[in-house]
Amino acid sequence: MTDDEIIELYLQRSEDAITETKKKYHAYCQAIAYNILASFEDTEEVVADAYLQVWNSIPPTRPVQFKAFLGRITHNLAINRYRANTRQPHSELTEALGELEITQLEDPAEQAQRLALAEAVARFLRGLDPNARQVFILRYWYYDSLAAISRQTGIKETTLNSMLYRTRKKLKAYLKKEGWTIEKQ
């Protein structure tokens, strides 16, 4: 079933929408959530919550890219669950966020600033060569380990480490040029 057909099921309020979403994207959502949470139980709860949030979002929203829409919801719910479970540190997430050294904005009043930062990072990523962009996204969106990225891309871990270091350095320079303050944590 295509993504447009799945979206139509949501628009028609058919319960088959969730069934078809699970068939097509359950493993994708689980990978996103598990890489952040490192807990099968929390992962299953987050994925179930993601399906519910998609159900409640369509309509009125009609996503252009359903997979990205679903991935973003899953990612955000997993991050929220991770924050709620701060007593259970997850090394890949903690390490990845520490590598970026971008100040976390917690105040809800700063949502517009968060969105502007996300747009600036997206502009930066569009300017990268496809390999560097893929590696960056695997590390800092999906929170994959260097070993997992190496297996997926065929690039040695030491090369990945150097590539990510250079990309972070470029990102910091780009954000500074765009007027963002980067603080060392």
Side-chain angles (χ1 to χ4, degrees):
M1 181 166 273
T2 68
D3 287 355
D4 286 336
E5 291 170 331
I6 294 172
I7 291 170
E8 279 304 315
L9 291 174
Y10 280 103
L11 292 171
Q12 296 167 7
R13 306 311 289 163
S14 170
E15 291 181 17
D16 291 338
I18 293 175
T19 303
E20 293 301 324
T21 301
K22 284 181 183 178
K23 281 182 192 174
K24 190 167 183 179
Y25 291 116
H26 191 70
Y28 169 72
C29 292
Q30 280 185 314
I32 292 170
Y34 186 79
N35 282 348
I36 295 168
L37 298 166
S39 161
F40 290 115
E41 184 177 296
D42 285 346
T43 294
E44 286 306 315
E45 288 179 22
V46 163
V47 171
D49 290 347
Y51 296 145
L52 178 61
Q53 190 166 338
V54 170
W55 176 264
N56 291 332
S57 298
I58 305 174
T61 303
R62 184 183 181 104
V64 176
Q65 293 183 341
F66 183 68
K67 182 178 180 180
F69 180 76
L70 178 61
R72 177 127 182 115
I73 287 172
T74 305
H75 180 268
N76 290 344
L77 289 171
I79 292 290
N80 290 343
R81 175 65 62 97
Y82 172 79
R83 288 180 181 146
N85 297 342
T86 56
R87 293 178 304 278
Q88 300 175 2
H90 179 271
S91 62
E92 288 303 325
L93 176 60
T94 305
E95 184 179 330
L97 291 175
E99 289 170 5
L100 286 175
E101 298 175 353
I102 297 174
T103 304
Q104 186 84 22
L105 304 171
E106 294 296 336
D107 185 349
E110 295 177 337
Q111 266 188 334
Q113 193 172 6
R114 264 186 244 132
L115 180 59
L117 176 59
E119 289 171 357
V121 171
R123 283 191 306 275
F124 169 78
L125 290 175
R126 283 191 292 271
L128 289 178
D129 74 82
N131 286 337
R133 181 175 43 244
Q134 177 190 21
V135 168
F136 189 89
I137 289 170
L138 288 172
R139 180 68 175 145
Y140 300 116
W141 175 261
Y142 294 107
Y143 304 111
D144 284 349
S145 67
L146 290 178
I149 297 169
S150 178
R151 282 190 304 275
Q152 186 172 341
T153 62
I155 301 171
K156 293 180 183 178
E157 286 185 48
T158 53
T159 305
L160 288 172
N161 207 16
S162 297
M163 181 186 287
L164 288 167
Y165 174 77
R166 287 190 304 273
T167 304
R168 285 192 311 271
K169 200 170 171 183
K170 288 177 188 175
L171 174 60
K172 288 176 191 174
Y174 178 83
L175 291 175
K176 191 171 183 178
K177 180 179 165 192
E178 291 280 314
W180 291 93
T181 303
I182 308 298
E183 297 177 11
K184 185 103 171 153
Q185 294 178 357

